[in-house]
Amino acid sequence: MATNRKLGKTTDIRLAMLKNQVTDLILHGKIETTEARAKEVKAIVDSIISLAVKEKDNFETVDVKVIKAKLDSKGNKVTELAKSKNGKEYLKVVKEETTERRQKDMPSRLNARRKIMRNINKVKDEKGNNIDLPSKLFNEIAVKYEGRVGGYTRIIKKGQRKGDAAEVVILELV
């Protein structure tokens, strides 16, 4: 007896499709899909969000030494002339050491982050920078649903699709 819907796909294709839809729902807050797919995605997203709500405050702040290239007023790296052992001269980037305060996940939050990353894809914005969806879940979405016990998503029926008469719904974060 199957515990989840097969959705007319092979296992690897079905899991990839669900992973894409979960990622889109977390990133955009709303997706339009068929009812069967929405019910599968809803179960996954609700479990991810409940995990994020449970672990959102489970971190410590630590001071970390960071060595960075020194930048001038225009944002370019500062270089200095240096000599190698064989007497040749070359440009060397000037480094500066600073301390930064960063969040360090406790073991259970790190485990939760890894479980979340197993169910979502890596995403880039328009400029090509990586978007950290687990951090978005912990810092924005989990804070929004802090006092709530389940029911983080809602399914709104939209009607039948014209081509194949499949029931189309909007799945959104509450």
Side-chain angles (χ1 to χ4, degrees), residues 58-69:
N58 198 5
F59 63 88
E60 62 184 3
T61 307
V62 294
D63 291 329
V64 179
K65 286 186 180 180
V66 178
I67 299 174
K68 293 182 181 176

Side-chain angles (χ1 to χ4, degrees), residues 53-156:
V53 168
K54 180 181 165 194
E55 296 292 335
K56 74 177 181 56
D57 292 328
N58 198 5
F59 63 88
E60 62 184 3
T61 307
V62 294
D63 291 329
V64 179
K65 286 186 180 180
V66 178
I67 299 174
K68 293 182 181 176
K70 191 174 184 180
L71 302 176
D72 61 5
S73 60
K74 294 180 182 177
N76 299 324
K77 294 179 183 175
V78 176
T79 57
E80 64 182 16
L81 202 59
K83 272 194 172 180
S84 65
K85 291 179 184 175
N86 60 5
K88 294 187 177 178
E89 293 183 345
Y90 64 96
L91 289 176
K92 182 174 112 178
V93 176
V94 178
K95 306 272 184 174
E96 63 182 356
E97 186 175 307
T98 59
T99 57
E100 290 182 359
R101 296 189 60 74
R102 292 189 180 167
Q103 289 182 354
K104 179 183 172 195
D105 290 344
M106 298 304 276
S108 62
R109 180 172 164 150
L110 180 61
N111 185 33
R113 182 180 294 273
R114 289 177 177 161
K115 283 181 182 177
I116 290 169
M117 290 171 65
R118 201 177 307 142
N119 288 313
I120 60 175
N121 290 325
K122 293 182 179 178
V123 182
K124 294 185 183 265
D125 61 4
E126 309 84 41
K127 297 176 183 173
N129 301 326
N130 288 330
I131 298 173
D132 192 9
L133 285 181
S135 290
K136 180 179 179 178
L137 273 164
F138 287 126
N139 299 333
E140 296 173 24
I141 296 174
V143 172
K144 184 174 150 185
Y145 298 121
E146 188 173 5
R148 197 177 185 108
V149 182
Y152 307 113
T153 56
R154 86 167 55 116
I155 295 177
I156 301 169

